[in-house]
Amino acid sequence: MKLCRKDSGSIALEAALIMPLFLVFVLSLITLIKISIIDIALSSAVSETTKQIAAHMYPVDLLYQDYEHYSFLIPPPLLEVAKWELYQRNSIEDSLNHKYNQALNRVFKPLLNYFVDVNSGDIKKLNSSQLTIEKVTLPNLSNRSRAIFGIEAKYQLTLPIPFFRKIIYIRKRSLERVWVGA
Amino acid sequence: MHRLINSDKGAVSIFLMMIISSIFVFNVLLIDLARVRIAENQAENILKTAARSSLSAFNPELLTYGLFGLERTPLQGSRETEKLLQDNLIGHHGPNEFVLVSLGLKDQAFSYNQLYSLGNHAVLEHQILEEMKYKAPIEFTRGIMSKLTEAAPAIKNAEQFMQNAIKLEALIDKRDRNLTNAWKQVTVMKNEVESYYGTYSNILEQNTATMDQGKLVSVTRKAIPEQLFIQQVTGKIQVYLEEAKKTDEEIAKEINSILRERPKELDGTDKDEVFKKVPILGNAYFVKFRIEVSEVGSLFSGFISRLSHLSKDVDSRSELIQLNRLYYDKCLHTFNSINTDELKRQREKTLLESEKTRHLNQTQSTIDKVKKTSRHNVCTYNTAHLYEKLNGEEGLYNKYSQLNKGTVDMKTQNSTDNSSLILGEAGETGQRSLFTLHYLLDLLEKARNEIYINEYALNYFNYKTYSSDLANSKAAVTLSNFKTHALQSQEVEYLLYGLESCLGNTAAAYAELFAIRLAFRTAEALSDSYSLSLGSPIMVLISSLTKAAAAAYQDMERLNKGEDVELMNRLQAVKMNYKDYLKLFLFLHSNHHKLLARMQALIELNTGEDLSGKATFIQTTAAFTLKLWFIPGLIKTLGLVGFLEGSIEQNHYVITKSAVMSY
């Protein structure tokens, strides 16, 4: 009972009660800021990638009509896209789903990474290994009403909270009609 | 109670509570503000993406002309854009997914407008300029300019020479007319004097002593009007001579000033020689002429006054016979001396005239030949219905010029459409073509955007020699396939003249081309024949014109085959072909709005696409909603609404964004 009356250590006790709350606030703020940064970076990387591919689809369209004739005009990364577009229907439709995902990531991830790097400046905001491409909508060049290109990417983030491992995903999508005319 | 307040127990707790609550409020506010910012950013991005997507549905046919026009009706465009907006918003969330900002589209707040069709000249011009900014071989146009500037001194010289020659010719003509008139009067005087002499010698030979008084009186009475008549005639001669003398002095003055003004450094040829050879009669000639004529007059007067004192006196009779003889001799002498000069002058004049006529006929026949050859051309198939579509009452040209009626500014409206030089009289054609060239040289210096638009016309439309240009890979490489155009080998000619038939347009281009070639060849021929002695500057000009017409005709044959023809023999390195000349004519007839309307008409004729229905500009507005996590009321009360762009509705933050985009 004597213990209760004494007020020595009361500050430590109060601190022990309040500090965790205080720390939760600070940590949650930090986390939210981190999430915001990733959100912005991911969304701009996805939309820039989509925009660039959509804008440069015209030569791919020409290529689609006449592959041999125009291939020299197209820069290598887009040539990959073009080949992809040209052969996707035969090669992918009957292959396995994970292969499809692998192929997706192989082709489009370098592109996405390129825009991640371009946009991030000096500070690296996104880590390539945590980034996966979920879905790619490819334009149907023979049916102009569905000539839409889209990328959906997912970023995996481990929350910076001690004693507590929580993984969250941030998903971003961008769809844009490709620049091939009506 | 008093104790509780005064006691400092739990002070730290209270302190921390206060700190933490304020940190809490701060955190909450910060998080929502950050989300609002991110949402605004994303909303703008999404809307822009949708707007871009809408523009991506351009018309592929018009793309072959380097033009972008929307191939969607406003309703279609609106639906597509809204659908894409929806698709870009992530609706559902997967497991373990964290959504910081989840945007929704607010109902009934979406709008989409299409504006500014390609039928609008300002829009069309903008697109052409954008297209040609990268393509226009501007160096090439500048090349033409420098080519022409090389020829400019020769042309300016030729023009100066021509003006001087024409001025002098008028003066020489005036002098000759006066001299001829004077000469006619001299002949009249001589004839009269001859008849008087005959009559009076008859009378005087009779024996006056036997003559009765009445007859003598009638003789003297008749003499008075005779004297008056001769006075009149000599008076007239004096007037004509005075005029001729004045003109002669003017000629001398004119020649002097021409010789003075001519800068010595021009050319190697001595152009002064031609002017030095112009015959000037000089003061002495006129003085002599006048004195002799007035002597005849006074001698005759003297005779007549003596006649009134005619009496039966034999002495006076012999004196009268002598006097009669005297004026007659004087008159004959005068007549003969003038006659030699005059005959010489007349002979020279007739020679010159016949030479002039010969040259002019020759030139005229070349021009006729040119006129005839301008008929055989590309118009080998029926184009009447196409031209009807282009230029008819309800035609495409009218449609597009009506569309842009309000925008045509006064300046261009007033600018004369100095359409084709029509080949007319030989001399006039040459004269006009030189003036045209001078005008052109001035114009080239002022050219601005015209260059691009003209280049566009030549790159995207066919012209007479395009097939040979294509074969020699001189033609521009564009998506526009010349061979599929409705009108073959005549589109640029139509753009230039806008006449109602193939024949009209191609013949107009042909005539103008000939006129230009004639100008260059005339300048060239002139510099070769300055030293020739042809008697008159105008003769030099006319003979040069004849030579030039023949040379220009040869040039035309070569140009029609698509060959490069040198500007002048002296400038062998400087060559131009048919297309280059068309480029010049496009400058020459720089009537902007007509050209653009004709282009639009041709594009519609070739593609069947109505340009006035092809929008180039879209404006879209959408409202996005963001559910606020914490305290919407706090944001509202803190007055942050002014600081933020959007508004708060219930517990949603509403962001209204507009995107405006054009090709």
Side-chain angles (χ1 to χ4, degrees):
Chain A
M1 228 36 193
K2 238 163 108 188
L3 193 65
C4 288
R5 295 268 167 79
K6 267 194 174 166
D7 58 0
S8 65
S10 69
I11 292 183
L13 184 66
E14 280 173 31
L17 283 172
I18 301 297
M19 258 336 246
L21 263 176
F22 183 76
L23 279 174
V24 165
F25 280 138
V26 172
L27 280 174
S28 66
L29 194 63
I30 290 172
T31 311
L32 269 165
I33 288 171
K34 199 170 163 96
I35 290 173
S36 302
I37 290 170
I38 287 167
D39 195 279
I40 293 171
L42 186 63
S43 120
S44 86
V46 168
S47 68
E48 275 302 306
T49 313
T50 315
K51 181 176 156 186
Q52 290 301 325
I53 289 179
H56 293 95
M57 199 49 95
Y58 186 70
V60 179
D61 185 35
L62 290 181
L63 186 76
Y64 179 65
Q65 324 288 355
D66 189 356
Y67 177 75
E68 295 302 320
H69 200 212
Y70 289 106
S71 59
F72 73 97
L73 286 172
I74 301 167
L78 280 174
L79 196 64
E80 285 301 308
V81 181
K83 278 185 192 157
W84 167 252
E85 164 61 25
L86 195 64
Y87 298 120
Q88 54 126 345
R89 277 173 186 82
N90 315 328
S91 60
I92 295 302
E93 269 164 22
D94 45 85
S95 72
L96 292 168
N97 205 24
H98 80 273
K99 263 197 178 171
Y100 175 78
N101 272 329
Q102 271 178 6
L104 269 183
N105 278 293
R106 204 174 56 239
V107 175
F108 289 98
K109 215 171 147 188
L111 267 170
L112 197 60
N113 277 329
Y114 172 73
F115 288 103
V116 167
D117 293 343
V118 165
N119 287 325
S120 59
D122 294 336
I123 311 151
K124 199 146 168 74
K125 292 167 189 160
L126 298 181
N127 188 347
S128 169
S129 64
Q130 286 161 272
L131 188 68
T132 46
I133 291 181
E134 281 290 282
K135 191 178 162 196
V136 172
T137 313
L138 287 165
N140 187 338
L141 293 178
S142 51
N143 178 1
R144 289 289 151 96
S145 66
R146 290 198 288 135
I148 290 175
F149 178 80
I151 287 183
E152 205 172 310
K154 203 155 104 173
Y155 192 79
Q156 182 191 338
L157 175 73
T158 312
L159 291 180
I161 301 171
F163 320 117
F164 181 67
R165 193 179 143 76
K166 171 79 179 162
I167 292 174
I168 59 160
Y169 295 97
I170 296 170
R171 189 157 59 101
K172 287 285 157 192
R173 172 166 71 195
S174 181
L175 288 166
E176 186 163 346
R177 198 177 180 285
V178 291
W179 202 260
V180 292
Chain B
M1 200 61 178
H2 195 252
R3 271 218 340 247
L4 189 66
I5 291 173
N6 277 351
S7 151
D8 56 0
K9 278 181 188 164
V12 176
S13 296
I14 289 170
F15 172 75
L16 278 174
M17 262 189 256
M18 281 166 67
I19 289 287
I20 282 171
S21 59
S22 63
I23 285 177
F24 178 78
V25 170
F26 176 73
N27 264 7
V28 156
L29 209 61
L30 198 75
I31 288 165
D32 263 356
L33 279 182
R35 289 179 68 238
V36 163
R37 281 286 168 189
I38 292 169
E40 276 176 357
N41 204 333
Q42 280 186 7
E44 186 162 339
N45 244 333
I46 289 171
L47 193 65
K48 276 187 179 160
T49 305
R52 269 201 308 273
S53 298
S54 169
L55 283 182
S56 77
F58 52 83
N59 183 308
E61 283 287 323
L62 294 178
L63 185 68
T64 58
Y65 286 89
L67 302 177
F68 287 93
L70 208 50
E71 182 63 11
R72 290 280 185 269
T73 63
L75 190 68
Q76 283 173 330
S78 172
R79 271 200 211 124
E80 275 187 14
T81 314
E82 196 171 4
K83 169 132 199 323
L84 204 82
L85 272 180
Q86 297 276 17
D87 290 348
N88 264 317
L89 302 171
I90 292 182
H92 62 280
H93 316 306
N96 280 335
E97 261 180 34
F98 181 80
V99 181
L100 183 69
V101 170
S102 172
L103 284 174
L105 204 58
K106 198 182 169 201
D107 291 338
Q108 311 293 335
F110 178 76
S111 78
Y112 173 91
N113 291 312
Q114 292 183 352
L115 296 158
Y116 306 129
S117 77
L118 272 178
N120 185 321
H121 282 173
V123 172
L124 182 71
E125 189 183 338
H126 172 76
Q127 289 209 3
I128 289 175
L129 295 184
E130 283 295 313
E131 167 79 4
M132 298 316 288
K133 195 157 73 180
Y134 308 107
K135 280 193 181 165
I138 188 81
E139 288 303 317
F140 198 59
T141 310
R142 274 179 49 211
I144 283 194
M145 198 145 81
S146 64
K147 278 176 191 176
L148 287 178
T149 2
E150 266 183 71
I155 295 291
K156 277 187 183 146
N157 268 350
E159 203 201 330
Q160 185 69 41
F161 180 86
M162 186 178 71
Q163 279 172 337
N164 289 336
I166 290 168
K167 212 166 172 189
L168 270 182
E169 183 65 11
L171 288 174
I172 292 172
D173 246 17
K174 194 173 162 201
R175 185 185 67 185
D176 280 358
R177 248 192 339 270
N178 281 318
L179 278 175
T180 312
N181 282 337
W183 169 242
K184 274 185 195 150
Q185 294 300 326
V186 169
T187 322
V188 169
M189 181 180 82
K190 180 212 153 206
N191 289 341
E192 286 297 314
V193 164
E194 235 167 11
S195 81
Y196 298 159
Y197 171 73
T199 326
Y200 288 117
S201 9
N202 271 343
I203 293 170
L204 292 175
E205 266 165 33
Q206 288 167 24
N207 194 347
T208 39
T210 59
M211 224 181 257
D212 65 36
Q213 198 59 35
K215 194 167 182 193
L216 276 177
V217 170
S218 82
V219 166
T220 44
R221 198 174 288 154
K222 213 179 78 198
I224 305 298
E226 284 171 356
Q227 188 192 359
L228 274 178
F229 183 77
I230 291 297
Q231 264 173 13
Q232 253 175 24
V233 171
T234 50
K236 272 188 198 164
I237 293 172
Q238 296 294 355
V239 170
Y240 286 133
L241 284 179
E242 183 57 32
E243 274 294 304
K245 189 181 150 228
K246 257 195 228 156
T247 323
D248 194 57
E249 278 163 5
E250 271 178 56
I251 292 170
K253 222 163 56 188
E254 189 63 41
I255 288 172
N256 268 335
S257 80
I258 289 169
L259 297 183
R260 220 182 21 250
E261 277 166 23
R262 176 164 296 290
K264 277 282 167 260
E265 69 272 13
L266 286 179
D267 286 338
T269 52
D270 192 5
K271 287 169 201 175
D272 304 356
E273 285 305 305
V274 191
F275 292 105
K276 279 181 190 156
K277 277 174 193 146
V278 174
I280 295 169
L281 298 175
N283 207 15
Y285 175 83
F286 292 101
V287 169
K288 190 183 129 219
F289 201 147
R290 286 170 75 172
I291 288 175
E292 294 208 4
V293 170
S294 62
E295 269 179 6
V296 174
S298 58
L299 282 172
F300 186 69
S301 296
F303 167 73
I304 295 296
S305 64
R306 285 294 296 157
L307 194 65
S308 57
H309 307 299
L310 183 66
S311 62
K312 292 179 178 158
D313 181 3
V314 179
D315 284 349
S316 84
R317 190 163 66 96
S318 63
E319 194 195 338
L320 270 173
I321 289 172
Q322 227 174 31
L323 280 176
N324 196 18
R325 184 86 223 165
L326 202 62
Y327 75 77
Y328 177 62
D329 283 351
K330 185 69 203 170
C331 182
L332 276 188
H333 175 261
T334 306
F335 178 79
N336 286 337
S337 88
I338 297 170
N339 198 21
T340 22
D341 286 350
E342 197 54 26
L343 282 179
K344 193 172 143 230
R345 198 175 61 82
Q346 296 284 0
R347 215 170 34 241
E348 278 172 3
K349 197 166 178 229
T350 341
L351 203 70
L352 213 62
E353 282 301 323
S354 72
E355 192 67 2
K356 214 191 246 181
T357 326
R358 190 176 67 81
H359 276 300
L360 282 179
N361 284 342
Q362 218 171 321
T363 313
Q364 190 64 53
S365 75
T366 318
I367 288 176
D368 289 342
K369 213 157 56 170
V370 170
K371 271 191 202 164
K372 218 180 287 163
T373 48
S374 79
R375 302 258 186 277
H376 359 179
N377 50 24
V378 293
C379 307
T380 47
Y381 63 105
N382 186 19
T383 52
H385 60 290
L386 296 172
Y387 276 101
E388 178 59 31
K389 252 193 228 170
L390 283 173
N391 265 25
E393 278 293 302
E394 302 278 296
L396 298 171
Y397 171 72
N398 273 351
K399 173 177 131 188
Y400 287 112
S401 47
Q402 287 299 326
L403 264 178
N404 291 284
K405 216 166 183 188
T407 60
V408 179
D409 53 336
M410 292 312 286
K411 206 178 82 205
T412 49
Q413 224 165 26
N414 289 342
S415 76
T416 47
D417 183 21
N418 64 5
S419 57
S420 71
L421 289 154
I422 293 137
L423 294 180
E425 293 258 329
E428 209 187 328
T429 308
Q431 190 181 337
R432 214 146 19 110
S433 57
L434 271 176
F435 280 132
T436 309
L437 205 56
H438 195 173
Y439 166 70
L440 179 74
L441 292 171
D442 281 349
L443 198 77
L444 270 177
E445 291 170 2
K446 292 174 201 147
R448 296 177 304 273
N449 289 350
E450 305 283 328
I451 295 173
Y452 287 127
I453 293 170
N454 296 344
E455 276 306 317
Y456 179 82
L458 283 167
N459 280 356
Y460 285 89
F461 297 99
N462 60 40
Y463 47 91
K464 195 176 191 173
T465 61
Y466 87 92
S467 42
S468 72
D469 279 5
L470 275 181
N472 302 328
S473 61
K474 273 188 223 159
V477 181
T478 58
L479 288 171
S480 176
N481 187 356
F482 289 161
K483 289 198 175 104
T484 61
H485 291 188
L487 291 173
Q488 280 299 303
S489 314
Q490 50 185 291
E491 286 182 327
V492 177
E493 285 87 344
Y494 170 74
L495 291 178
L496 267 169
Y497 306 101
L499 300 174
E500 274 97 14
S501 69
C502 167
L503 200 64
N505 290 321
T506 45
Y510 197 84
E512 195 168 10
L513 182 51
F514 179 73
I516 289 275
R517 285 310 313 156
L518 186 63
F520 278 117
R521 291 299 183 192
T522 308
E524 178 179 276
L526 265 180
S527 62
D528 293 342
S529 44
Y530 285 132
S531 47
L532 292 182
S533 144
L534 291 167
S536 145
I538 202 82
M539 260 325 287
V540 173
L541 188 67
I542 285 168
S543 76
S544 309
L545 204 57
T546 311
K547 253 196 271 172
Y553 179 70
Q554 298 292 326
D555 291 345
M556 292 301 291
E557 305 253 284
R558 286 168 63 198
L559 284 170
N560 268 337
K561 285 183 211 144
E563 287 176 28
D564 289 344
V565 170
E566 66 280 353
L567 221 49
M568 292 169 135
N569 280 335
R570 271 187 302 131
L571 299 169
Q572 280 291 346
V574 187
K575 290 186 171 183
M576 282 169 75
N577 59 21
Y578 187 81
K579 189 182 172 189
D580 298 339
Y581 283 106
L582 284 181
K583 207 175 279 187
L584 285 189
F585 300 156
L586 283 166
F587 277 122
L588 211 56
H589 310 275
S590 68
N591 193 325
H592 206 55
H593 285 276
K594 279 188 183 167
L595 180 65
L596 288 175
R598 284 173 195 149
M599 275 186 193
Q600 287 169 325
L602 273 183
I603 291 173
E604 181 165 346
L605 185 75
N606 288 337
T607 63
E609 304 287 351
D610 178 7
L611 293 187
S612 60
K614 301 280 177 271
T616 61
F617 183 98
I618 60 159
Q619 186 184 40
T620 174
T621 308
F624 299 87
T625 55
L626 171 74
K627 192 166 186 282
L628 291 172
W629 281 348
F630 302 102
I631 26 172
L634 188 65
I635 292 187
K636 218 171 181 175
T637 45
L638 280 176
L640 288 170
V641 179
F643 166 71
L644 297 168
E645 288 169 25
S647 60
I648 309 273
E649 283 175 22
Q650 287 154 356
N651 57 350
H652 282 87
Y653 180 74
V654 179
I655 308 159
T656 307
K657 288 277 174 193
S658 296
V660 171
M661 267 185 201
S662 78
Y663 287 118

